[in-house]
Amino acid sequence: MRLWRGKPGWAAALIALLMTAGVCASAPAATAAPAARPDFRLPFACGQTWQLQTYLGHAPDDKKLDMYRVGGSTLGATVAASAAGTVTEFFPPGGVEINHGGGWFTVYLHMDRIDVSLGQRVDSGTPLGRLGLVGTEEAHLHYEQLYDSNGDNDGETDEMVHPVIQGTEYRLSPNGPFPQVKSTNACDGGGGQPDRFWVDTYADATGYRYVDCVGDTTARCAPQGTLRKGTNYVLCKKWGHKVGNDTSYNHWWLLTDLDEVAPGGSGRAYVSAYYLQKWGNDEAKDNDGRDIGTCA
């Protein structure tokens, strides 16, 4: 239908006439409101504190965030998913994009190691990779939140929004102030300890129901399955039998969910902390150097 561009009185009369004749087109549907923003958390392990910064020329200065660790090393720190979603894109420099559903996306840059794969579903707190010096001379995480306003199921730079992290919206200025934020990502409800501790293991590890099964071949100590080498989460630690030799050993055992479960086995079992990649004898720490909590 050609639009009528006469005076308002003429337009009203024409609409009334068309409605009487039963040929008036229905009014266009209202534009849908944006989907609720996910509960985005600081993209680092529970309890860590990071300073949020921007600079003149960040473009847009008030929407892009650069993050630097307070009280720890930024270089080598583990980046975590800010909310649950699906990994949809890798791009330089050291970048990952996550689709959180409802049109919401997050972007993370400057990682020298990426620990997720395209199409992988992640939870809030899932490790994405390690901060390095990729595309920057000073280690930091570049972080963005985007809303897909044009509906093409992609997050673009011109769809960037002011980030909301742990319920607070940030509109930073290059002149400061630069807030320091303590992460509540993947924390439980009681005291700020993490639900899961993320660790790197250098080899496949056998899981057992108990921590005193070294050399025991009875049914009580039957292998429950296997934890594959790589980045894994553990829930807590428990002191038990020594694994190793005279120079390299560990008495701690880590409760975790196994990747492969033996027939009749339990998916949750203990594996030896001897297989941790970073730490020494009788140490049981996560990738960020935090002591793993003791099992109740």
Side-chain angles (χ1 to χ4, degrees):
M1 179 186 298
R2 187 181 298 275
L3 292 177
W4 180 260
R5 298 190 182 276
K7 294 181 180 179
W10 281 100
L14 177 60
I15 291 172
L17 177 61
L18 292 173
M19 291 182 66
T20 301
V23 296
C24 185
S26 60
T31 302
R37 189 188 305 241
D39 181 16
F40 290 122
R41 302 301 177 102
L42 197 72
F44 298 101
C46 173
Q48 290 186 6
T49 299
W50 288 72
Q51 183 162 298
L52 312 185
Q53 297 183 199
T54 190
Y55 59 87
L56 188 63
H58 215 183
D61 303 348
D62 59 340
K63 293 179 180 177
K64 294 180 179 179
L65 296 180
D66 284 348
M67 300 184 180
Y68 298 83
R69 189 168 180 185
V70 177
S73 176
T74 299
L75 183 64
T78 299
V79 179
S82 194
T86 301
V87 178
T88 53
E89 188 177 351
F90 297 150
F91 50 86
V96 171
E97 180 185 81
I98 297 177
N99 183 344
H100 301 278
W104 290 97
F105 293 79
T106 49
V107 167
Y108 315 74
L109 297 180
H110 305 310
M111 290 180 281
D112 64 5
R113 190 187 74 198
I114 293 176
D115 296 324
V116 290
S117 56
L118 289 176
Q120 179 178 335
R121 178 72 183 175
V122 295
D123 295 324
S124 183
T126 296
L128 302 179
R130 180 182 64 190
L131 281 179
L133 297 174
V134 179
T136 177
E137 296 180 355
E138 182 180 21
H140 67 279
L141 175 69
H142 175 105
Y143 175 83
E144 302 171 7
Q145 292 179 7
L146 307 99
Y147 180 72
D148 177 24
S149 56
N150 64 11
D152 66 354
N153 199 34
D154 193 13
E156 302 292 348
T157 299
D158 60 1
E159 295 175 317
M160 199 180 309
V161 298
H162 291 105
V164 175
I165 300 174
Q166 296 169 189
T168 299
E169 181 181 84
Y170 293 96
R171 297 173 179 248
L172 299 190
S173 164
N175 298 320
F178 298 139
Q180 295 184 357
V181 181
K182 185 175 182 179
S183 176
T184 60
N185 200 338
C187 294
D188 63 16
Q193 292 301 312
D195 281 323
R196 299 176 177 183
F197 298 85
W198 293 93
V199 299
D200 289 339
T201 53
Y202 70 85
D204 295 348
T206 301
Y208 298 91
R209 286 184 182 272
Y210 307 101
V211 299
D212 56 353
C213 284
V214 174
D216 190 337
T217 59
T218 64
R220 174 181 178 273
C221 287
Q224 301 301 297
T226 303
L227 182 73
R228 292 301 180 193
K229 70 177 181 179
T231 302
N232 297 286
Y233 67 81
V234 299
L235 306 173
C236 56
K237 68 182 179 183
K238 193 171 185 178
W239 192 261
H241 280 178
K242 173 183 172 181
V243 174
N245 52 50
D246 290 338
T247 59
S248 179
Y249 57 85
N250 209 305
H251 286 83
W252 288 112
W253 291 75
L254 309 172
L255 185 63
T256 187
D257 294 316
L258 302 177
D259 295 312
E260 297 179 8
V261 182
S266 172
R268 180 162 290 184
Y270 290 96
V271 299
S272 174
Y274 177 76
Y275 295 98
L276 293 181
Q277 191 169 35
K278 289 188 174 182
W279 310 113
N281 295 336
D282 285 342
E283 288 187 317
K285 301 179 181 182
D286 70 5
N287 286 345
D288 294 302
R290 185 176 48 240
D291 284 330
I292 295 169
T294 304
C295 300

